[in-house]
Amino acid sequence: FDLVLLDLTLPDSTGLNTVRTARAAAGVTPIVVMTGLDDEETALAALREGAQDYLVKGKFDSYELTRSLRYSIERQRVELALRQTKEALEAIIAATPAAVLSLDAEGRVVTWNESAEHMFGWSAAEASGRTPPFVPAEGEAEFDFLLKQVLAGEPVSELEARRRRKDGTLIDVSLSASRIRGADGAATGAVVVLSDVTERNRAAAALRESEECFRNLFDEMSSGVAVCETPNQGASFVVKSINRGAERLDSVRREQVVGRSIQQAFPRVEVAELLAVLQRVWRTGQPERRPVAWYEDGRIAG
């Protein structure tokens, strides 16, 4: 059925019980109540029980009846679509590993998802109605400024900050925020999404430390070392970097040879011999230790 037009006075039911019984049986089908009671309180109560509209007998014509029925069907369709969208959004928010919270225009927490509970340690009940508890007292002014910026229509994307957990420990987070607007277009609050990037930052710091250690070892080796890019479509090996030992060995500077082929970078090397070694290493993946002729003042140095 498209719609139920319901009289409140029936042989087996009267008043709001009629609405409740019909609502339970009709599911999502819209209901328009029609009664002889010109009582606003009853009308509002019927709407609270799930009716879409309320008509008083003798006070409407066929045009008003048709308009009410069409309005009720469309309103129910819109409400169902909104409900489905809301349920889908809630499912996404519940499933995301990121902390998602919404704030009112004063910066107080309205919603706080389960991931926020796990990430920061405060329950939704503890966080609701207050400034996000992960904001330390000394950071409240900064947070207020950030909220004003978002409410003014300037979204924040992937801002990294340090926030505290309930147990007092600090974590690094990536924060994104955008405003929520009401029906009139005015800002009513903001949605904030936070991802824990503590381990990522630790890994990045460890990688930087490792790379720095490698660079130091690379440069301080007494032997000459050249790092080459692997050949592409028959092209020669191209020098990516050399260490100080290689600079001393062939009296060249790093910036002179980077980006050049191996034979251009080291013209005093026996090219055919060197390329044969590099090609074998490239094909087999096995290291090789082999002397290559090196020309010095017109003589082979070895």
Side-chain angles (χ1 to χ4, degrees):
F1 295 95
D2 294 318
L3 178 137
V4 175
L5 182 59
L6 182 67
D7 195 326
L8 283 188
T9 305
L10 298 173
D12 59 348
S13 181
T14 58
L16 294 178
N17 285 331
T18 309
V19 181
R20 297 187 189 103
T21 305
R23 178 78 282 160
V28 297
T29 305
I31 295 173
V32 173
V33 168
M34 185 170 63
T35 180
L37 299 174
D38 189 1
D39 182 349
E40 186 177 353
E41 187 175 334
T42 303
L44 293 174
L47 295 176
R48 284 194 293 269
E49 293 292 341
Q52 286 286 358
D53 204 356
Y54 186 95
L55 296 170
V56 179
K57 292 178 183 179
K59 293 194 175 183
F60 61 87
D61 57 22
S62 59
Y63 169 79
E64 291 170 329
L65 173 62
T66 303
R67 183 172 62 85
S68 174
L69 301 187
R70 287 177 176 168
Y71 164 80
S72 299
I73 291 171
E74 179 61 19
R75 181 181 175 189
Q76 184 75 357
R77 186 192 67 77
V78 171
E79 287 181 354
L80 285 174
L82 288 174
R83 189 182 309 161
Q84 290 170 352
T85 301
K86 181 174 180 289
E87 289 173 355
L89 182 60
E90 288 174 347
I92 292 171
I93 291 173
T96 181
V100 181
L101 52 143
S102 64
L103 309 174
D104 63 19
E106 302 300 321
R108 295 183 292 262
V109 173
V110 178
T111 61
W112 179 271
N113 75 340
E114 191 172 338
S115 293
E117 294 185 356
H118 294 318
M119 188 178 296
F120 295 108
W122 286 278
S123 68
E126 291 174 312
S128 183
R130 56 180 288 195
T131 299
F134 54 69
V135 179
E138 62 274 16
E140 287 185 1
E142 177 192 0
F143 181 79
D144 288 343
F145 175 78
L146 179 67
L147 180 63
K148 289 178 182 177
Q149 179 182 351
V150 172
L151 293 177
E154 300 179 32
V156 174
S157 179
E158 297 184 8
L159 171 69
E160 289 211 10
R162 183 154 288 185
R163 294 291 180 252
R164 65 184 175 94
R165 302 181 76 254
K166 188 177 181 180
D167 61 10
T169 57
L170 296 174
I171 61 172
D172 296 329
V173 298
S174 174
L175 183 152
S176 298
S178 58
R179 66 177 172 176
I180 302 170
R181 291 188 293 181
D184 60 356
T188 60
V191 172
V192 182
V193 180
L194 304 105
S195 299
D196 187 346
V197 295
T198 306
E199 289 305 318
R200 185 192 74 183
N201 287 354
R202 285 176 182 166
L207 179 61
R208 286 194 299 270
E209 184 178 341
S210 176
E211 289 175 342
E212 182 66 23
C213 181
F214 171 78
R215 280 194 296 269
N216 290 337
L217 289 172
F218 180 71
D219 266 343
E220 296 306 320
M221 291 175 66
S222 57
S223 300
V225 181
V227 179
C228 298
E229 290 181 349
T230 53
N232 182 24
Q233 297 179 348
S236 181
F237 292 84
V238 175
V239 176
K240 289 181 66 177
S241 181
I242 63 172
N243 72 343
R244 292 173 185 166
E247 289 181 318
R248 291 191 296 268
L249 184 65
D250 206 25
S251 301
V252 295
R253 293 194 303 274
R254 192 171 308 183
E255 58 270 22
Q256 292 176 316
V257 299
V258 170
R260 306 184 72 182
S261 67
I262 194 75
Q263 54 266 46
Q264 291 172 327
F266 302 107
R268 292 194 292 169
V269 176
E270 175 52 52
V271 174
E273 230 180 316
L274 176 59
L275 287 179
V277 172
L278 291 174
Q279 289 288 356
R280 282 196 300 272
V281 172
W282 166 241
R283 285 196 309 270
T284 65
Q286 299 298 317
E288 190 169 325
R289 184 181 180 89
R290 182 178 297 273
V292 175
W294 187 281
Y295 295 94
E296 184 177 5
D297 298 330
R299 294 172 288 107
I300 298 177

